Amino acid sequence: MVLMDEKGTKMQATVWSNDFKKHEKILQQNECYTVFKPRFDKNNQKFKHFDTKYVLTFNLETTIRKCNNFIGPTHGFEFSTFKSIKNGGVSSEFRTDFIGYVEEWFAREDTTTRYGKQSYKMDLILRDLEGIALKLTLWEEYCDQMQEYISKNKEEEHIVLIVQFGSVHDYKGTINVANAYYITKLFINERNEEIVNFKRSYIGKASVTTSTHRSIGQSGVTSNEDEFLHNTTFSTIRQIREIAQVMHVIVVGTVMAVDKDSEWYYLGCESCNCKASPSLQFPEDDNGSDDVDPKEVLVCTNKKCKRDVVPAVHMYKVSIQVEDCTGIVNLTLFDRDTVKLLGLSAKQLVDKYLQVSDDEKTIPAEFNAFINKKYAFKIHVKKYNVDNKVDGFSINKLVDDPAIIAKLEKKFDVVPFEEFDSMILPTTVSSSQSDAGVKDSKSYAVDDSTPLPKNYESRKSPCDLKRTLEDSNDLDNSYSVSSTKSRKIETKEDIKAQMKDKLLIPKLEK
């Protein structure tokens, strides 16, 4: 429980199961009480909601009576500014309050937590009076609460949200906010003083720059379709090599293999998910003696992380090779998407396989679940990739929605035809396959083929032409892809040279 006195000071309180029957009938949320003989305990709880030295415990000696003359604040909001949250000035260890205008919301998304639990969430973009935007994630019952409000108030134009006892999360230097389970309270467009004043100020500032506003029903984003089809640049794997700036791109490809020479998990900081490394710490002896045994602890490698010694959890980092009709690229799957694909946490697989083998590089058989499967990937081209012209890109998100993948594959505009002129050979076409288009190499085959008529002028796409040649010949290619090292990205001239150097060995008829 969270208790607040007449001065607005908040403190955690606990009623243990053995004493619950005595107090459960009288204790109600948003009611006022006078408490006699509570016990003060040191705040050693794992989840500390407030930066207080003590917590209250109600036991059998405690007496609770209703109070009707409480003169303190109703809610006791203590708002943190978006600027202080994003600058790291608000601790992620404790709960905080914030207020913002709901600028955009995203559709509910089913997901799996890092511990293997099936869950769901929705994301929102909040904006404060200074114009600073902050991403908020609402989980489960809080997601339901927000969705219910939106469904019943689709025409409402101005939505202001207060999150009381929210949680701050630092993920690799990007700070977002979310609800904390069981304790967070949402105030959605309620007519309290704080929301009324905020809305009045926000609308007054917004009216200076725009005269129109979208209703909450129009502010939603179908996250996957917009993100993959409209809001992010599409690229083939070959075209990634020509990118000269830091950006996100969408690629479509089939997972061909998992790198067997790379470790597929790591110990990550529970606060920011960055790698946690072991370090020796020398605790201070109460007697001032230097003869103290060192203690091994885990230290977060993220310099921006506010915690020195951290609790760590096993997280996925799976290196995979992905192929489309233009090439192969090395990508890295991280914890969120791997858990989503497998429905299992990294710790579950570590416990399973390390009990059988001490080889930490043993590849779990569960990874076969995404081998030879096609996905749309949103990948991050980082400064390191651009400066060093190497691949090895991080996957920010992936989807296997057939409708999205089909629409993305229509965007394939691979290599100009002139780059394939040297490869054009006499071609045959099936009478049942006269339609030219990008086809899956696994299913394309030439049966009952007949020579093309002389006046046949249409040409196959580069993807189909390349596949047809490889299907008709044994391909001896001296250029192999290393599964253990980052690969230097070839220039157009390198690619042309490789194409010319490929030896096509005709298959012998039996």
Side-chain angles (χ1 to χ4, degrees):
M1 295 179 293
V2 175
L3 302 182
M4 180 178 69
D5 65 15
E6 291 182 326
K7 293 184 179 181
T9 304
K10 301 177 186 68
M11 181 177 286
Q12 285 174 249
T14 301
V15 180
W16 295 106
S17 57
N18 292 340
D19 306 320
F20 192 70
K21 287 185 178 180
K22 177 180 177 181
H23 304 296
E24 64 175 330
K25 292 182 179 180
I26 189 172
L27 287 173
Q28 299 292 329
Q29 186 171 294
N30 297 325
E31 293 290 342
C32 303
Y33 302 95
T34 302
V35 181
F36 302 91
K37 293 186 178 180
R39 191 178 73 211
F40 283 80
D41 296 321
K42 282 191 175 181
N43 191 359
N44 295 322
Q45 299 189 23
K46 182 178 180 181
F47 299 104
K48 299 179 181 180
H49 299 312
F50 309 106
D51 187 13
T52 56
K53 189 174 181 180
Y54 297 100
V55 295
L56 291 174
T57 299
F58 297 170
N59 54 28
L60 292 178
E61 296 181 3
T62 304
T63 301
I64 301 173
R65 295 175 184 170
K66 272 204 171 185
C67 169
N68 298 317
N69 58 348
F70 184 81
I71 58 173
T74 304
H75 301 293
F77 296 126
E78 297 181 74
F79 294 125
S80 297
T81 65
F82 285 12
K83 183 177 181 179
S84 65
I85 292 174
K86 300 197 77 167
N87 288 344
V90 179
S91 174
S92 59
E93 294 186 50
F94 309 114
R95 307 288 74 82
T96 190
D97 307 339
F98 47 90
I99 181 171
Y101 184 92
V102 179
E103 184 174 86
E104 202 167 41
W105 57 271
F106 296 82
R108 165 182 155 158
E109 179 182 346
D110 293 327
T111 185
T112 306
T113 68
R114 68 177 61 164
Y115 304 107
K117 177 190 173 186
Q118 297 298 314
S119 185
Y120 59 92
K121 63 171 185 170
M122 72 179 298
D123 294 327
L124 302 93
I125 303 299
L126 303 182
R127 196 170 292 275
D128 67 3
L129 296 177
E130 304 301 319
I132 300 173
L134 187 65
K135 178 184 172 184
L136 165 68
T137 301
L138 297 178
W139 292 87
E140 298 184 358
E141 63 182 276
Y142 300 97
C143 169
D144 294 337
Q145 187 178 343
M146 191 69 202
Q147 281 192 313
E148 182 180 4
Y149 182 88
I150 292 172
S151 65
K152 292 181 178 179
N153 300 272
K154 291 182 179 179
E155 302 304 318
E156 185 70 46
E157 284 189 358
H158 305 290
I159 307 298
V160 175
L161 174 66
I162 290 177
V163 178
Q164 188 175 32
F165 310 136
S167 183
V168 177
H169 297 278
D170 185 344
Y171 179 70
K172 297 186 177 180
T174 301
I175 296 180
N176 300 312
V177 290
N179 64 272
Y181 283 103
Y182 311 122
I183 184 175
T184 296
K185 298 177 69 176
L186 301 184
F187 299 82
I188 309 172
N189 242 25
E190 294 192 11
R191 295 187 179 276
N192 58 45
E193 181 181 357
E194 292 80 5
I195 287 181
V196 169
N197 290 339
F198 184 97
K199 185 184 293 187
R200 185 184 299 114
S201 298
Y202 190 94
I203 294 173
K205 287 189 175 185
S207 63
V208 175
T209 57
T210 179
S211 59
T212 59
H213 300 279
R214 294 185 301 169
S215 69
I216 189 66
Q218 297 172 323
S219 300
V221 176
T222 305
S223 55
N224 285 344
E225 286 194 6
D226 274 21
E227 188 172 6
F228 280 79
L229 298 178
H230 307 299
N231 298 341
T232 314
T233 303
F234 174 81
S235 174
T236 66
I237 287 174
R238 177 175 296 182
Q239 288 170 338
I240 299 174
R241 300 163 178 156
E242 301 175 5
I243 294 176
Q245 62 180 348
V246 175
M247 63 185 298
H248 289 89
V249 295
I250 302 294
V251 298
V252 173
T254 301
V255 180
M256 305 306 296
V258 173
D259 186 350
K260 296 181 179 179
D261 296 320
S262 298
E263 292 184 359
W264 51 269
Y265 71 93
Y266 69 102
L267 277 175
C269 170
E270 198 174 49
S271 296
C272 69
N273 287 12
C274 287
K275 185 176 181 180
S277 298
S279 178
L280 291 179
Q281 187 180 72
F282 292 86
E284 296 183 3
D285 186 78
D286 295 336
N287 299 322
S289 172
D290 293 333
D291 189 18
V292 180
D293 292 332
K295 179 182 178 182
E296 187 175 271
V297 296
L298 290 169
V299 178
C300 182
T301 57
N302 178 12
K303 294 180 180 179
K304 294 182 179 180
C305 186
K306 302 299 180 183
R307 306 177 70 177
D308 294 328
V309 178
V310 299
V313 295
H314 290 93
M315 296 183 181
Y316 288 111
K317 185 182 179 183
V318 185
S319 179
I320 60 175
Q321 290 184 347
V322 174
E323 179 184 42
D324 71 3
C325 65
T326 70
I328 298 175
V329 68
N330 296 321
L331 303 179
T332 302
L333 269 172
F334 287 99
D335 199 67
R336 182 187 64 180
D337 287 312
T338 311
V339 170
K340 184 177 178 180
L341 290 174
L342 301 180
L344 296 168
S345 69
K347 186 178 188 312
Q348 288 175 291
L349 292 191
V350 168
D351 290 344
K352 176 180 178 180
Y353 284 92
L354 290 189
Q355 288 178 357
V356 178
S357 171
D358 292 332
D359 185 2
E360 294 185 354
K361 293 184 179 180
T362 300
I363 301 299
E366 284 79 0
F367 288 176
N368 291 328
F370 48 78
I371 299 298
N372 293 324
K373 297 288 182 64
K374 185 179 289 186
Y375 300 94
F377 301 91
K378 180 179 180 181
I379 66 174
H380 189 192
V381 181
K382 298 182 179 178
K383 189 175 185 296
Y384 175 83
N385 303 116
V386 174
D387 291 347
N388 296 281
K389 295 188 180 299
V390 294
D391 69 2
F393 305 99
S394 299
I395 298 171
N396 280 56
K397 190 175 182 179
L398 63 81
V399 296
D400 59 357
D401 187 330
I404 292 177
I405 291 174
K407 290 178 181 178
L408 287 170
E409 287 186 321
K410 291 180 180 179
K411 296 186 178 185
F412 267 84
D413 181 15
V414 285
V415 185
F417 280 111
E418 54 268 21
E419 294 199 16
F420 285 83
D421 284 345
S422 62
M423 295 180 59
I424 297 177
L425 300 177
T427 313
T428 62
V429 64
S430 168
S431 59
S432 62
Q433 296 170 338
S434 58
D435 57 320
V438 178
K439 300 183 180 180
D440 190 274
S441 61
K442 301 293 182 183
S443 60
Y444 179 67
V446 179
D447 297 320
D448 301 325
S449 56
T450 57
L452 283 172
K454 292 182 180 179
N455 61 353
Y456 186 83
E457 296 180 353
S458 66
R459 306 177 71 174
K460 299 174 74 65
S461 73
C463 284
D464 278 343
L465 176 59
K466 183 174 183 286
R467 290 195 182 104
T468 303
L469 290 171
E470 293 181 354
D471 286 346
S472 304
N473 302 274
D474 290 321
L475 183 60
D476 181 10
N477 182 7
S478 59
Y479 296 89
S480 60
V481 179
S482 170
S483 64
T484 60
K485 299 178 181 178
S486 293
R487 188 164 45 114
K488 278 284 182 182
I489 298 178
E490 302 97 335
T491 63
K492 284 187 176 181
E493 289 71 22
D494 295 332
I495 296 170
K496 288 181 180 179
Q498 292 184 26
M499 299 301 288
K500 290 180 180 179
D501 289 344
K502 288 183 179 180
L503 177 62
L504 296 176
I505 307 171
K507 294 182 179 178
L508 299 177
E509 296 290 340
K510 295 184 180 180

